Amino acid sequence: KQKMDASLSAETVQGILRHVELSFPGALPTNRMAKQAYSILEQYGYNNSGNTLVATALCCDELNRQLEGDICSKFGSVGAYNMGGLAGFCFGGVVGFGNMANHVPAGGNCLVVYGPHVGIDWDFQFGRVPRDESSSVSSECCGPAQMAYEYSLRVRKGERAPVERATDIIESQQTWVCQQVDAVSDRISAATNPQVELPYALYDAQSEILQRIVQKAGSEFVAGKTLAFLGGITINTPEGTPEYFLPKQFAILDASTGEMKHNLLDPLLAARPAVAVRRPRADK
């Protein structure tokens, strides 16, 4: 495998985007998606003049800062309240969510952005991504999710014993990720491409967990504050190609119950992808 050169640039970039759109239909470039999300929420009182707190439950991986940065820049936030951990699970939990609710400006709004991520490399393989434009080497993406899936396969083959519960704080997050992935391992393995199914399965697990968190901690949102959820799958692409996000949930919720008040997904998905451009990541 060779590093992409200028002569292959256009063909390879289009190939990556084609594979993203085939495996994650409806995915949008993150900057375009963020712009459309802001335009929609603006109709419900969200603005970029200090009345909106952005909170995230995304993976620790630095590649996810592109999505976070695109959202924060559109909503005028200098940064996000981070509730996420390995693989994108909301390890902030009930306490983190409740604390976040008290950071929302009086009479203001909160946008929670959450979900797993997956990479794609120059060979159009999901589950890996080159992290440096000058290198031909790809690495796992999402690494903790991949490790958890490999763990579940080894358990099923009898190659190792299952870990029942976390016993040490320095390994606790990955232990929980392994348990969550193990619960959906059969679904992942049965898929045509397990590396594509893995983030879909993770999203469903994370969405259910966040629903439980809101049901327990949503009462911390006092009257006059609005809560919106934007959940989906981030697709990390090689340097020079646009990052993508597949929205799976976009809604304004009743903070006290977690029930949907306004389903905004269809107008968000209506933002068709722009022509691909070479765009550096935010961490460069």
Side-chain angles (χ1 to χ4, degrees), residues 133-190:
E133 188 176 22
S134 64
S135 174
S136 62
V137 178
S138 297
S139 62
E140 291 182 337
C141 181
C142 167
Q146 297 271 5
M147 184 183 299
Y149 180 52
E150 291 165 6
Y151 156 86
S152 71
L153 294 178
R154 292 184 63 199
V155 169
R156 279 161 170 71
K157 293 176 181 177
E159 295 177 356
R160 63 155 298 157
V163 177
E164 299 298 334
R165 59 188 177 90
T167 59
D168 191 326
I169 191 170
I170 66 174
E171 296 178 340
S172 61
Q173 285 200 13
Q174 186 60 30
T175 300
W176 282 109
V177 174
C178 285
Q179 291 182 355
Q180 291 293 315
V181 172
D182 188 56
V184 293
S185 182
D186 291 340
R187 165 187 169 180
I188 297 167
S189 296

Side-chain angles (χ1 to χ4, degrees), residues 2-153:
Q2 299 295 323
K3 180 181 64 176
M4 187 193 75
D5 59 35
S7 64
L8 298 177
S9 171
E11 179 182 354
T12 307
V13 168
Q14 290 303 318
I16 287 174
L17 302 188
R18 183 171 61 254
H19 279 76
V20 168
E21 291 164 0
L22 285 173
S23 296
F24 299 93
L28 300 167
T30 58
N31 61 333
R32 187 172 180 84
M33 185 275 299
K35 181 178 180 180
Q36 181 77 346
Y38 177 80
S39 177
I40 294 169
L41 287 178
E42 193 176 24
Q43 302 171 44
Y44 293 88
Y46 285 67
N47 65 41
N48 57 11
S49 301
N51 85 338
T52 299
L53 173 69
V54 174
T56 62
L58 302 170
C59 183
C60 309
D61 194 318
E62 72 277 5
L63 297 182
N64 291 298
R65 305 292 77 81
Q66 177 74 66
L67 170 63
E68 195 172 89
D70 285 341
I71 294 289
C72 286
S73 66
K74 290 295 184 294
F75 286 86
S77 177
V78 295
Y81 184 103
N82 190 352
M83 301 181 291
L86 295 181
F89 283 92
C90 188
F91 283 101
V94 171
V95 172
F97 191 92
N99 184 59
M100 176 273 294
N102 290 293
H103 293 196
V104 179
N109 313 292
C110 178
L111 172 61
V112 176
V113 183
Y114 72 94
H117 69 122
V118 64
I120 182 172
D121 66 13
W122 290 122
D123 295 322
F124 314 141
Q125 298 298 308
F126 287 103
R128 303 186 65 81
V129 71
R131 295 175 181 270
D132 187 338
E133 188 176 22
S134 64
S135 174
S136 62
V137 178
S138 297
S139 62
E140 291 182 337
C141 181
C142 167
Q146 297 271 5
M147 184 183 299
Y149 180 52
E150 291 165 6
Y151 156 86
S152 71
L153 294 178

